[in-house]
C-alpha cells in the first residue's frame, strides 16, 4: 500500500503560479504511475497529468503548455508546477497512484485506473 499527502494549494490571481506536491509513503519500492486529477464543484473528477510507470508523461489538453508534472524519486515526491493559472483551474487537486500502470500512445484519464488517492489540496484562482 502507499499513502499520498498533497500540499501546496492556495489562492492566487489569474496568471499566477502554484506548485503542488504529493508525498508518497509506504510501499514505494514498486514502480508506480503517479498522477494529478482535479474536481471542481458540481463536476466530475478529471485527469490533469500523469507520469506512468515507464516514466512517460501525459497531460490533458486544457493544461498543456501551462502545467508540468515531475517527480523526485529519491524523495518519493510528485510535483505539479502550474503556471498561467486561469479561474477555470479552480478545483480540488488530488494525487493518485497505481503500481505498474503505463500508457502506450494517448492517455485517456480514468479515475478507475488508480487505486490510491490523497485527500486533495484546494486551488482557487480569482479573475
Amino acid at each position: 500500500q502507499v499513502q499520498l499527502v498533497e500540499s501546496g494549494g492556495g489562492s492566487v490571481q489569474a496568471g499566477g503560479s502554484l506548485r503542488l506536491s504529493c508525498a508518497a509513503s509506504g510501499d514505494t519500492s514498486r514502480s508506480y504511475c503517479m498522477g494529478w486529477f482535479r474536481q471542481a464543484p458540481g463536476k466530475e473528477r478529471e485527469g490533469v497529468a500523469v507520469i506512468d510507470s515507464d516514466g512517460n508523461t501525459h497531460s490533458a489538453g486544457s493544461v498543456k503548455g501551462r502545467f508540468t508534472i515531475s517527480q523526485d524519486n529519491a524523495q518519493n515526491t510528485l510535483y505539479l508546477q502550474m503556471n498561467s493559472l486561469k479561474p477555470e483551474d479552480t478545483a480540488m487537486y488530488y494525487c493518485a497512484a497505481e503500481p505498474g500502470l503505463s500508457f502506450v500512445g494517448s492517455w485517456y484519464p480514468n479515475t478507475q485506473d488508480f487505486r490510491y488517492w490523497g485527500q486533495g489540496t484546494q486551488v482557487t484562482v480569482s479573475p
Side-chain angles (χ1 to χ4, degrees):
Q1 290 209 1
V2 65
Q3 293 77 44
L4 306 172
V5 178
E6 304 95 335
S7 61
S11 297
V12 296
Q13 289 189 324
S17 298
L18 284 173
R19 188 175 81 154
L20 306 184
S21 300
C22 171
S25 61
D27 181 13
T28 57
S29 63
R30 305 175 67 180
S31 179
Y32 284 84
C33 173
M34 302 286 294
W36 291 98
F37 285 72
R38 67 185 181 185
Q39 188 167 19
K43 295 188 176 181
E44 292 190 355
R45 195 169 296 191
E46 63 175 5
V48 177
V50 294
I51 300 178
D52 70 19
S53 61
D54 292 330
N56 301 306
T57 60
H58 305 267
S59 58
S62 59
V63 305
K64 279 188 191 295
R66 301 189 299 122
F67 291 10
T68 302
I69 189 170
S70 63
Q71 63 184 12
D72 183 335
N73 290 326
Q75 299 293 325
N76 296 320
T77 302
L78 180 74
Y79 300 101
L80 184 69
Q81 178 66 45
M82 305 186 296
N83 299 327
S84 302
L85 282 160
K86 304 175 181 180
E88 51 263 44
D89 295 318
T90 295
M92 185 72 79
Y93 283 71
Y94 297 92
C95 178
E98 179 64 27
L101 179 63
S102 63
F103 301 97
V104 178
S106 298
W107 171 48
Y108 298 98
N110 188 343
T111 58
Q112 301 293 326
D113 289 336
F114 294 85
R115 192 180 326 175
Y116 302 108
W117 292 86
Q119 293 300 305
T121 186
Q122 177 68 37
V123 171
T124 303
V125 185
S126 57

